[in-house]
Amino acid sequence: MHLLIPAAGSGRRMGSDRNKLLLPLFGKPLLAWTLLAAQHSRQIEWIGIIGQPMDWQDFKTIAVELGLVDRIQFIQGGSTRQESVYCGLKGLPAHADRVLIHDGARCLATPELFDRCAEALETTPGLIAAVPVKDTIKVVGEAALIQSTPDRSQLWAAQTPQGFDVKQLLACHEQGIRQGWEVTDDAALFEQCGLPVKIVLGEETNLKVTTPVDLAIAEFILRQRLAVASSSDHQD
Ligand code: C5P
C-alpha cells in the first residue's frame, strides 16, 4: 500500500513560527510519531511525505533516524492541504492504484488503524476513518444564533487515514480545480463527484494536533501508552 502524508502546513494555529510537525513531542519531533506508526503497519510499503523545501533537511534527518530513507519519497506541497494532496497524488509511482492519505499532524494513529483502512480499501474505492461524535453539534449563523441541531446519531467526526482509488481521486481533484471547490478533506471531493465513501471505525485517540492543548494531550496519551507497553514487557 502507498501512503501519502500531507506535512506541508505551518505552525500558525499552534502559535509557532515553524512547521508544527517539527515541534518536540515526548522526545521526538511530532512527525516521527506519525512515521513510526506507518512503519509498524504490515500494509504500508511506500511513504510519500508532502512538504515545503524549507523543511526537507529536518524531514530527512527524521527519516534517517527511523531507518526509513529507502521507503520514503519527498514531494513538494502547495499552499492548501487540498493542493498539497494533489501534488502528492501526481508524485505517486505510476503503478500505485490505491492510496492512503494520512495527515502528518495525526501523530497518534496506530499501525492497526493503518492496517484496517488498507484492508478495507481492497473492496471499496473510497473510505475514511471516523468516530461517532460525542457532543451535540449546532449549526450557527449570523449574530451567534443557532440555525439547527443535526441528529447526533447520524454524525461522525472525520479523521485520516482516508483511502481511495488513485485514478478516481485524481479525477475528483481535477474536477474540484475546474469548479473551484475548496474542501478540507479528500472524501469531500469524492462525495461532491457522487462517489461512495465508506466509514472505517477510527480511534478516539487519533486526534489532529492543532493547538498547544492538543500537543499536551498527545504527550499524555503517548506517556500512558509507553508506560503500558513497558509494564507488559516486564511481565513477559
Ligand atoms: O492545518 P491542518 O492541521 O488542518 O493541516 C492538516 C494536515 O495538512 C497537516 O498535516 C498539514 O501539515 C497538512 N498541510 C499540507 N499543506 C498545506 C497545509 C496543510 O500538507 N498547505
Side-chain angles (χ1 to χ4, degrees):
M1 179 60 63
H2 292 77
L3 172 69
L4 285 173
I5 300 188
S10 64
R12 199 173 31 87
R13 282 180 290 171
M14 184 62 79
S16 166
D17 56 3
R18 62 200 294 230
N19 189 336
K20 67 182 174 191
L21 303 189
L22 294 171
L23 294 177
L25 170 62
F26 203 45
K28 296 186 203 302
L30 197 150
L31 181 65
W33 293 104
T34 314
L35 287 171
L36 263 171
Q39 184 177 28
H40 287 103
S41 153
R42 286 179 282 109
Q43 302 276 347
I44 309 294
E45 291 152 12
W46 181 98
I47 301 172
I49 301 184
I50 310 163
Q52 303 292 359
M54 72 178 99
D55 294 327
W56 287 154
Q57 200 44 56
D58 291 307
F59 286 0
K60 280 185 186 146
T61 305
I62 296 170
V64 169
E65 276 170 14
L66 295 178
L68 266 176
V69 208
D70 296 343
R71 281 164 68 186
I72 286 185
Q73 189 89 32
F74 294 98
I75 302 163
Q76 182 159 351
S79 58
T80 62
R81 181 190 183 279
Q82 187 175 345
E83 274 180 37
S84 291
V85 173
Y86 183 55
C87 297
L89 291 171
K90 288 193 295 181
L92 283 170
H95 65 271
D97 59 346
R98 300 266 155 145
V99 65
L100 287 181
I101 299 162
H102 180 66
D103 286 346
R106 288 192 188 269
C107 54
L108 299 179
T110 64
E112 294 73 30
L113 180 60
F114 284 107
D115 290 343
R116 207 156 58 238
C117 291
E119 279 153 23
L121 196 53
E122 285 168 18
T123 55
T124 188
L127 61 79
I128 69 167
V131 289
V133 300
K134 289 183 288 189
D135 295 319
T136 296
I137 305 289
K138 304 288 183 186
V139 178
V140 179
E142 280 178 24
L145 286 173
I146 293 172
Q147 286 177 347
S148 62
T149 304
D151 172 7
R152 191 172 59 187
S153 68
Q154 291 195 313
L155 296 179
W156 290 67
Q159 302 184 339
T160 64
Q162 304 200 347
F164 302 92
D165 176 275
V166 173
K167 283 202 189 85
Q168 284 183 306
L169 186 61
L170 257 173
C172 294
H173 269 266
E174 278 156 9
Q175 183 162 348
I177 293 167
R178 284 193 299 276
Q179 315 254 351
W181 295 338
E182 284 177 20
V183 295
T184 49
D185 74 352
D186 296 281
L189 291 173
F190 233 59
E191 292 158 44
Q192 277 182 248
C193 288
L195 295 167
V197 183
K198 203 169 175 174
I199 294 284
V200 170
L201 188 61
E203 294 169 338
E204 210 175 327
T205 50
N206 181 17
L207 58 89
K208 182 159 66 98
V209 175
T210 307
T211 62
V213 170
D214 299 325
L215 200 60
I217 296 171
E219 173 125 4
F220 176 80
I221 293 169
L222 281 172
R223 196 180 290 281
Q224 297 286 109
R225 273 188 196 167
L226 296 177
V228 169
S230 80
S231 82
S232 63
D233 283 351
H234 287 308
Q235 280 165 16
D236 289 344

